[in-house]
Amino acid sequence: MEISQVRYFLAVAKELNFTRAAEQCNVTQPALSRAIKLLEDEFGGALFHRERRFTHLTELGRMVESYLEGVFENSRQAKQIAEQYVNLKRMPLKVGIMSTIAPDEIIELIAAVRAHHPGVELHLCDADAVSLRRRLLEGDIEAAIYALPSNVADEEVHSLPLFQEQMVMAVHLAHRLANQRVVRVKDMSNESYIHRNNCEFAGYADAILAEQGVTVSPVYWSDRDDWTLAMIAAGLGFGFMPEHTAKHPGVVPLPITEPEFWREVNLVTVRGRRHSPAVGALVREATQKKWFGERAKALSAAE
């Protein structure tokens, strides 16, 4: 069954005249009659009583009419959606954002997408980097913005560098280290630590601390950075967090040295997967945006 056959059937059912139906569909009457005959052959019975002065639906024709109307309407809507999708008039895009990225920068990005590509409907979700990578590969989201500390290339995804930022030791104003310009990893030893459950360095930094004989004692665990910052400001422990996130009254961010910790945040897509035009729009805006006052690292490298 073809959509053209359905359209011809509905035209005849409305006009109850093959000649007028053919004119309405802009085809010849023999062509329309052949299409209806093929539809009847497929359904196994006549759809119309063809009488010289009075054409009308058979019982079978009446039974299938409402269903064929639904088929035709669904086809029309599907075509309309496809046209809007291809032309970026209406295109949903599911993007995962690592929950530890400062929200102001992401808000600027989604505002730029909206301003320049109003048909793109962004559906945002946040999670830790490992979860976002898994959801990306499973097809649950189309793109993700996250950072992972490993130096080993991930062959399953394509990563477009956006920006880098240093990790800091966030302490309260009265902390013994608060007046220093930087802090060495060794200086952290025996400090009470507030563990950020979504931290991408969880596990990775442990080996480095162990190599230097540094021991920290986790006293609180938190899924949310705002709660972590509030606890740091209250003197309940220190936090290991990105410099642009460690902004809170009563919190001092100290860059960590010997060694330094940096994270590179990337816009990530699945390597080799065909992506929608909406993903292309997101990539364009992400590379053009000034992240914390600088152009995206990928664009800077290209220049």
Side-chain angles (χ1 to χ4, degrees), residues 208-248:
I208 296 174
L209 268 62
E211 287 177 3
Q212 300 207 23
V214 174
T215 302
V216 295
S217 304
V219 290
Y220 297 99
W221 287 258
S222 175
D223 287 333
R224 291 173 44 175
D225 284 349
D226 55 346
W227 280 79
T228 300
L229 288 166
M231 287 189 282
I232 295 170
L236 301 182
F238 83 89
F240 180 76
M241 58 201 331
E243 58 178 314
H244 295 108
T245 302
K247 295 180 179 180
H248 188 280

Side-chain angles (χ1 to χ4, degrees), residues 55-295:
T55 297
H56 58 282
L57 286 164
T58 64
E59 186 63 29
L60 176 60
R62 283 193 292 270
M63 290 174 62
V64 301
E65 182 180 16
S66 62
Y67 293 100
L68 293 181
E69 286 175 343
V71 168
F72 186 74
E73 178 60 21
N74 288 337
S75 172
R76 187 192 65 79
Q77 291 182 8
K79 184 177 180 180
Q80 183 180 44
I81 290 171
E83 289 175 348
Q84 292 174 341
Y85 180 88
V86 170
N87 297 316
L88 275 178
K89 292 180 180 178
R90 182 177 180 273
M91 183 176 294
L93 175 61
K94 297 178 69 175
V95 181
I97 310 293
M98 188 169 65
S99 54
T100 62
I101 297 177
D104 290 349
E105 295 297 309
I106 299 302
I107 290 171
E108 288 183 4
L109 173 62
I110 63 178
V113 172
R114 178 64 180 172
H116 301 141
H117 312 277
V120 176
E121 299 176 354
L122 280 173
H123 298 255
L124 304 178
C125 63
D126 70 296
D128 62 272
V130 174
S131 298
L132 290 177
R133 181 184 180 277
R134 185 189 69 250
R135 293 178 63 180
L136 187 65
L137 293 175
E138 292 174 350
D140 184 45
I141 55 179
E142 292 184 72
I145 297 177
Y146 63 73
L148 284 171
S150 174
N151 293 322
V152 179
D154 189 340
E155 297 298 331
E156 293 187 279
V157 301
H158 177 267
S159 298
L160 181 76
L162 299 179
F163 63 90
Q164 291 179 325
E165 61 181 329
Q166 190 171 9
M167 303 298 289
V168 301
M169 179 182 183
V171 300
H172 65 96
L173 291 172
H175 193 277
R176 65 181 180 87
L177 300 173
N179 294 323
Q180 296 188 188
R181 288 179 52 253
V182 297
V183 61
R184 299 175 303 168
V185 167
K186 289 183 178 180
D187 296 333
M188 298 180 182
S189 197
N190 299 317
E191 288 284 337
S192 297
Y193 170 58
I194 301 172
H195 182 78
R196 297 163 57 242
N197 293 333
N198 294 321
C199 179
E200 63 273 22
F201 282 89
Y204 177 86
D206 293 346
I208 296 174
L209 268 62
E211 287 177 3
Q212 300 207 23
V214 174
T215 302
V216 295
S217 304
V219 290
Y220 297 99
W221 287 258
S222 175
D223 287 333
R224 291 173 44 175
D225 284 349
D226 55 346
W227 280 79
T228 300
L229 288 166
M231 287 189 282
I232 295 170
L236 301 182
F238 83 89
F240 180 76
M241 58 201 331
E243 58 178 314
H244 295 108
T245 302
K247 295 180 179 180
H248 188 280
V251 172
V252 178
L254 303 172
I256 300 170
T257 63
E258 300 182 25
E260 294 181 352
F261 290 86
W262 290 79
R263 73 174 185 179
E264 181 174 84
V265 175
N266 301 285
L267 174 56
V268 186
T269 53
V270 177
R271 188 179 298 277
R273 180 175 294 171
R274 186 174 181 178
H275 299 296
S276 70
V279 173
L282 177 68
V283 170
R284 284 193 295 274
E285 296 305 324
T287 53
Q288 292 296 325
K289 172 180 158 47
K290 287 190 174 181
W291 294 89
F292 302 105
E294 296 184 7
R295 297 285 290 279

